[in-house]
Amino acid sequence: MKPFMNEDFLLTTDTAKKLYHEYAEKMPIIDYHCHLSPREIAENIQFKNITELFLGGDHYKWRYMRAMGVDERLIRGDGDDYEKFLAYAKCISLAIGNPLYHWTHLELKRVFGIEEPLNERTAPAIWENANAMLATEEFRARRLIEKFNVKVVCTTDDPASNLEYHEQIAKDPTFKVKVLPAFRPDAAIKIGMPAYKGYIETLSEVSGVKIECAEDVVKALTQRAKFFDEHGCRASDHGLDTVPYEPIDMAKVNEAFALAMKGEKPCDALIDVYRTYILVSMGRVYKELGWAQQYHVNAQRNNNANAYEKSGADIGFDSISDEKVAYKLNRLLDEQEKTGNLPKTILYSLNPTDNYVIGTTIGNFQTESGIPGKLQFGSAWWFCDQRDGMVDQMKTLAALGALSTFVGMLTDSRSFVSYPRHEYFRRILCEILGTWVENGEYPADWDALKTIVEGICYNNAKKYFSF
């Protein structure tokens, strides 16, 4: 029997162990997509206890606790923090096969140096020990980021943001980590949502552009993109959920805009032609700025109406969608490619059945010399960022494209203790590569393997985003 989560956790071959311990383990981290709060980083917040740190923003843990029958009062409600931690400890002790079990214990090990498994029996001592550490300066938000050798953090920011906290962070010479905004214009694209009209009015005010038609929306977003670029932004991010595509007809685009500004919901075809127009137009802007655009598709959000009405979005009631993506995604990208305005692009689908669709789609647009992996199959996302999901994504990319150009892992998290998931990813990567070498499918060419591993862990992202 192997020891529980020892130094060779997930590594079963000598080659995998060498690849991880000699190459992957030491590499810095670029977290090019996350949902950390810039305000909390700027203010270098101190967490009052381990419950706030572990459970305060982690919807993966909330979903698991609900599955275990825990009352919402002890998940996101007004329950006592110690009770919440005990409830989580009781649940996680039975989470066999769930990546949360590994993530939780990596968090305990790497953040606090706590080795014993978390359960009802150990929870009281872990609560006391962790909270004592959290009361010190070394466990404030910024120190937690630095602890994991993070070089760049890209937060997720609305175009209307004034980026004040990014400015504060950038002016502080004592904090060496780059905290950069990422441009997330979902509210300007989701024209069918009730809040669209109010958001456009806000965007108009912030940008100084009088918005009277769809072309003006693009002008306003372009102005904000340039503002973001001045603050170090290197990527946009789009939560598309469903992929839009309709041939661009400006009369229809502006018909959709006019209806939405009157408080009426356009039909699906008008919504799609508007969304297509905005995405294609902004792709041109991203290309000019040298950014990468990120498309996240096939998420079905806020499925529990009661929970959404009571508590809002992003609290763990989302799931995988099974919308078809192949035709529209290729047409959308081709619309940008035809005019030479397809920027670097990372594609993520929440539905793993899309893996081969994504893997073959990116190959259609790898047409710009000098940019290895211009089109990227993004890291296994959300429900797929566990061992099987990561293995499937990386093996698909290797089989259909160039794994060696992959820009690697991201946290996509609101939690300051999610960085051990990079370790989890790196161990899985090294296990895949090590198995191929041990099976005689790839030579023990250590120079090449070092380049591949260090590239996927850090170097590729650094070059791709020009950090």
Side-chain angles (χ1 to χ4, degrees):
M1 180 185 298
K2 295 181 179 179
F4 171 63
M5 291 183 67
N6 70 352
E7 67 275 8
D8 293 329
F9 171 58
L10 298 179
L11 308 171
T12 64
T13 68
D14 290 340
T15 303
K17 294 170 186 177
K18 178 179 174 69
L19 292 175
Y20 178 73
H21 292 301
E22 294 190 17
Y23 306 139
E25 187 174 21
K26 66 184 180 182
M27 296 304 291
I29 287 174
I30 290 176
D31 194 17
Y32 58 87
H33 173 65
C34 77
H35 298 275
L36 291 180
S37 163
R39 178 190 63 79
E40 292 180 348
I41 300 173
E43 295 177 355
N44 196 21
I45 65 166
Q46 190 159 39
F47 298 91
K48 62 182 180 180
N49 56 50
I50 192 173
T51 299
E52 183 181 40
L53 179 64
F54 265 38
L55 301 177
D58 198 329
H59 55 83
Y60 295 90
K61 292 172 181 173
W62 301 339
R63 282 176 68 94
Y64 178 70
M65 293 175 77
R66 291 182 188 120
M68 293 294 286
V70 176
D71 190 278
E72 194 70 22
R73 183 181 70 86
L74 297 178
I75 302 173
R76 297 188 65 256
D78 60 1
D80 175 77
D81 281 353
Y82 182 59
E83 288 184 88
K84 288 180 179 180
F85 184 69
L86 290 181
Y88 183 68
K90 181 178 180 180
C91 291
I92 201 65
S93 67
L94 302 176
I96 188 169
N98 191 310
L100 273 174
Y101 195 84
H102 294 156
W103 295 347
T104 296
H105 288 91
L106 283 174
E107 290 164 5
L108 288 171
K109 283 172 177 277
R110 303 302 180 236
V111 177
F112 299 107
I114 294 173
E115 298 283 342
E116 58 262 296
L118 178 60
N119 53 46
E120 279 188 285
R121 178 179 55 79
T122 61
I126 290 175
W127 168 269
E128 294 294 336
N129 293 339
N131 288 348
M133 286 183 261
L134 288 172
T136 69
E137 291 297 306
E138 289 304 306
F139 285 80
R140 286 182 176 270
R142 293 187 183 186
R143 301 291 84 77
L144 290 174
I145 295 173
E146 292 172 331
K147 183 184 287 287
F148 291 99
N149 196 19
V150 179
K151 299 299 184 183
V152 182
V153 172
C154 294
T155 58
T156 304
D157 305 275
D158 188 277
S161 171
N162 62 12
L163 303 182
E164 62 175 311
Y165 296 114
H166 292 87
E167 291 180 349
Q168 289 181 28
I169 296 166
K171 291 176 181 177
D172 186 346
T174 67
F175 188 52
K176 304 300 184 183
V177 181
K178 290 184 180 179
V179 180
L180 307 177
F183 191 75
R184 178 87 173 220
D186 290 4
I189 294 175
K190 293 183 177 180
I191 194 169
M193 300 299 288
Y196 176 81
K197 179 178 183 293
Y199 179 77
I200 293 300
E201 292 169 351
T202 298
L203 180 63
S204 177
E205 181 181 352
V206 170
S207 66
V209 176
K210 187 176 182 180
I211 301 179
E212 298 180 316
C213 60
E215 292 93 331
D216 293 335
V217 176
V218 172
K219 289 179 183 177
L221 289 174
T222 300
Q223 191 274 345
R224 299 308 295 167
K226 291 178 179 178
F227 175 73
F228 271 54
D229 190 67
E230 292 168 359
H231 288 75
C233 180
R234 304 304 305 147
S236 68
D237 180 47
H238 298 268
L240 297 181
D241 299 347
T242 60
V243 180
Y245 178 74
E246 285 287 339
I248 296 173
D249 178 328
M250 288 311 301
K252 292 181 178 179
V253 171
N254 278 309
E255 181 184 352
F257 176 82
L259 287 169
M261 294 305 287
K262 289 192 294 185
E264 300 177 20
K265 183 177 180 180
C267 67
D268 289 346
L270 287 178
I271 288 174
D272 264 10
V273 74
Y274 171 86
R275 295 171 70 208
T276 302
Y277 167 70
I278 298 294
L279 289 169
V280 170
S281 299
M282 292 310 298
R284 182 181 301 110
V285 175
Y286 306 151
K287 172 78 170 179
E288 291 173 355
L289 295 172
W291 291 5
Q293 67 180 2
Q294 300 177 85
Y295 288 169
H296 290 81
V297 304
N298 253 337
Q300 186 165 301
R301 301 176 190 270
N302 307 316
N303 295 287
N304 187 318
N306 290 339
Y308 180 71
E309 183 177 347
K310 180 179 180 181
S311 303
D314 302 322
I315 57 171
F317 292 97
D318 311 305
S319 59
I320 292 171
S321 174
D322 56 0
E323 294 282 339
K324 293 181 178 180
V325 303
Y327 175 77
K328 288 187 174 183
L329 182 57
N330 276 279
R331 296 285 61 77
L332 179 63
L333 296 174
D334 192 48
E335 200 67 36
Q336 298 178 46
E337 173 81 356
K338 283 188 294 187
T339 57
N341 290 308
L342 177 65
K344 292 176 287 188
T345 300
I346 307 176
L347 303 176
Y348 312 80
S349 177
L350 194 53
N351 192 329
T353 63
D354 292 336
N355 280 1
Y356 274 71
V357 172
I358 301 296
T360 53
T361 294
I362 64 173
N364 296 332
F365 302 100
Q366 306 284 26
T367 55
E368 192 164 348
S369 63
I371 306 181
K374 175 184 174 181
L375 273 285
Q376 289 276 330
F377 181 2
S379 181
W381 172 42
W382 201 341
F383 298 118
C384 299
D385 67 351
Q386 27 72 16
R387 178 165 48 182
D388 291 345
M390 290 180 184
V391 169
D392 289 347
Q393 184 269 340
M394 284 189 272
K395 285 188 173 181
T396 299
L397 176 55
L400 301 176
L403 177 63
S404 62
T405 67
F406 181 30
V407 294
M409 182 60 171
L410 50 108
T411 63
D412 189 30
S413 176
R414 292 168 176 80
S415 171
F416 283 87
V417 291
S418 289
Y419 290 111
R421 295 178 194 176
H422 279 261
E423 175 185 339
Y424 188 69
F425 166 86
R426 292 173 179 186
R427 288 175 179 271
I428 292 166
L429 166 68
C430 292
E431 175 66 8
I432 294 170
L433 300 179
T435 299
W436 286 338
V437 173
E438 296 270 342
N439 287 344
E441 299 174 56
Y442 189 88
D445 182 340
W446 297 109
D447 288 338
L449 289 165
K450 179 177 187 290
T451 298
I452 292 169
V453 170
E454 292 182 347
I456 294 171
C457 290
Y458 177 78
N459 291 333
N460 293 346
K462 180 177 174 61
K463 183 176 180 181
Y464 187 78
F465 293 101
S466 301
F467 289 135

